[in-house]
Amino acid sequence: MKRVLTYGTYDLLHYGHIRLLKRAKELGDYLIVAVSSDEFNAGKGKKAYHNYETRKEMLEAVRYVDLVIPESTWDQKIQDVKDYHVDVVVMGGDWEGDPRFECLRDYCDVVYLDRTPGVSTSQIKEELNLGNDDIDDLFTH
Ligand code: C2G
């Protein structure tokens, strides 16, 4: 059984996330997703719209995902690879070459997949973050 591991915040789950998870699962038989805890996100300067439990619940409903675990620190990855007998760690291309993933090559394969263009959690937040006036405008034309 080939075991795949990926990391992320996965806030406001969107098709870019889903396409990453689909392609990650295609690289093996069992996909583990390590989802950033709320505390870890705070450390990344990110505040997710959904809390950890909700983001975990949504990912567990995705057909490609077999297990969801917490990502609490930057330096848990080597231990995760060992604990879960991971064969390949997969990340989106925005992480390509990052030493926090490259260091895993001593323990498993590391694969970067192209990001899905045109969608991101921050873009969704920006576009939905309309003021009341904007919304009124939307409905008067
Ligand atoms: N992603 C993608 N296409 C998008 C948006 C995101 O392929 N349009 C991928 C990212 O490259 C990442 C995964 O989906 O592999 C999750 O994205 P985020 O939730 O933004 O994760 P990130 O904030 O990059 O956290 O330790 C690593 C961090 O936890 C990664």
Side-chain angles (χ1 to χ4, degrees):
M1 172 183 279
K2 190 166 181 185
R3 301 161 72 86
V4 184
L5 170 63
T6 189
Y7 293 82
T9 302
Y10 288 98
D11 191 25
L12 296 178
L13 201 61
H14 55 66
Y15 64 91
H17 294 139
I18 298 300
R19 290 179 183 170
L20 188 285
L21 296 170
K22 181 177 191 294
R23 287 174 291 154
K25 182 60 175 283
E26 288 165 355
L27 293 176
D29 309 291
Y30 189 89
L31 175 60
I32 303 163
V33 183
V35 188
S36 310
S37 67
D38 297 325
E39 297 74 15
F40 182 56
N41 267 334
K44 288 194 267 184
K46 286 173 107 169
K47 180 165 179 5
Y49 180 82
H50 291 305
N51 66 23
Y52 171 78
E53 287 306 323
T54 300
R55 290 181 282 118
K56 177 174 185 282
E57 180 186 345
M58 291 174 77
L59 279 167
E60 285 170 342
V62 174
R63 67 172 60 193
Y64 310 115
V65 176
D66 296 289
L67 177 67
V68 178
I69 62 173
E71 177 188 30
S72 310
T73 66
W74 284 113
D75 51 23
Q76 72 180 66
K77 296 183 175 63
I78 292 173
Q79 197 56 50
D80 288 344
V81 170
K82 290 177 180 175
D83 289 350
Y84 293 94
H85 311 289
V86 169
D87 299 291
V88 54
V89 166
V90 177
M91 290 300 291
D94 45 322
W95 290 94
E96 182 138 14
D98 187 302
R100 290 169 290 197
F101 290 97
E102 290 301 305
C103 70
L104 301 176
R105 290 192 188 282
D106 293 337
Y107 305 91
C108 64
D109 293 337
V110 179
V111 172
Y112 302 102
L113 301 173
D114 290 343
R115 280 174 67 93
T116 300
V119 63
S120 70
T121 302
S122 48
Q123 180 185 332
I124 292 168
K125 283 182 175 178
E126 278 161 32
E127 291 182 10
L128 289 179
N129 188 25
L130 295 172
N132 290 335
D133 297 345
D134 298 325
I135 289 176
D136 293 343
D137 287 348
L138 282 178
F139 292 105
T140 51
H141 296 306

